Amino acid sequence: MRKWLKNVIVLASAFALMLGFRALVFSIHSVTGNGLAPLYKHGDCLLVNRCSYGLRIEGHGLLPYSRLLRQPVKRGDIVAFTLPSDSVAGVFIARCKAVPGDTVDTHKGKLIVPGLNTCAKADYYWLEALNQQNPADSRHLGFIPESNIIGEVITVMYNRHNLRLQ
């Protein structure tokens, strides 16, 4: 076989492995807005570990949702998630404040765990942004199902606004 064809096959294989690794294990998401300010700022690019709570299997209608080697989300984890409804697309970031089995109550916009009124169902989490005005968290949406949680935020890779040339 020709040498250039071998090189093309090796490069194509490496590229396919990289895409598969990125899709299954890690993803990068940009912060838009100030929901977790001052911890994360507008323009931060975050590295999200998609396997932190188990390997997420999305069937997209063909197979049921599931996770292999499932691990629960822990209180205090900062997670990336999608909204349970189709109203707003995108990925959102919030801190887990209550886990399945916790009872919660809100008083004047603040969460009280343990509470008296609402009981979290199995596989549902109470996620809150640091910014009280952020509409994309459990204070406004209620409990977020585990199937909408993408993974745990690991670190800030860079801020795209700081990369602009002066």
Side-chain angles (χ1 to χ4, degrees):
M1 195 181 301
R2 296 192 174 168
K3 186 175 181 179
W4 66 269
L5 185 57
K6 287 182 184 179
N7 290 338
V8 168
I9 291 172
V10 167
L11 287 174
S13 300
F15 186 71
L17 284 172
M18 181 200 60
L19 287 178
F21 185 75
R22 187 198 172 280
L24 293 174
V25 181
F26 293 106
S27 59
I28 299 169
H29 299 283
S30 293
V31 174
T32 53
N34 294 313
L36 283 172
L39 188 59
Y40 300 116
K41 302 176 292 204
H42 180 72
D44 283 349
C45 287
L46 306 176
L47 182 65
V48 175
N49 182 353
R50 297 177 68 90
C51 292
S52 54
Y53 306 117
L55 182 60
R56 183 179 156 113
I57 308 296
E58 297 178 54
H60 298 292
L62 300 174
L63 297 170
Y65 162 82
S66 65
R67 284 192 194 260
L68 297 175
L69 305 172
R70 184 174 176 215
Q71 297 291 319
V73 178
K74 296 177 287 303
R75 212 178 278 107
D77 286 356
I78 297 177
V79 299
F81 67 100
T82 57
L83 294 182
S85 64
D86 294 332
S87 59
V88 180
V91 174
F92 298 89
I93 308 295
R95 184 183 301 273
C96 180
K97 293 286 189 129
V99 297
D102 285 347
T103 54
V104 299
D105 193 10
T106 54
H107 180 68
K108 294 183 181 178
K110 299 204 181 223
L111 178 71
I112 301 167
V113 178
L116 302 172
N117 295 337
T118 312
C119 183
K121 297 181 258 180
D123 299 333
Y124 282 77
Y125 296 86
W126 187 273
L127 305 176
E128 280 189 14
L130 297 178
N131 185 338
Q132 297 279 336
Q133 305 305 317
N134 187 15
D137 68 8
S138 292
R139 289 174 288 213
H140 305 283
L141 301 169
F143 291 102
I144 307 293
E146 180 198 90
S147 59
N148 288 75
I149 296 175
I150 296 169
E152 183 177 12
V153 174
I154 298 174
T155 189
V156 176
M157 293 186 60
Y158 59 89
N159 185 297
R160 7 176 229 173
H161 299 298
N162 291 343
L163 294 176
R164 292 187 181 154
L165 297 175
Q166 301 287 330

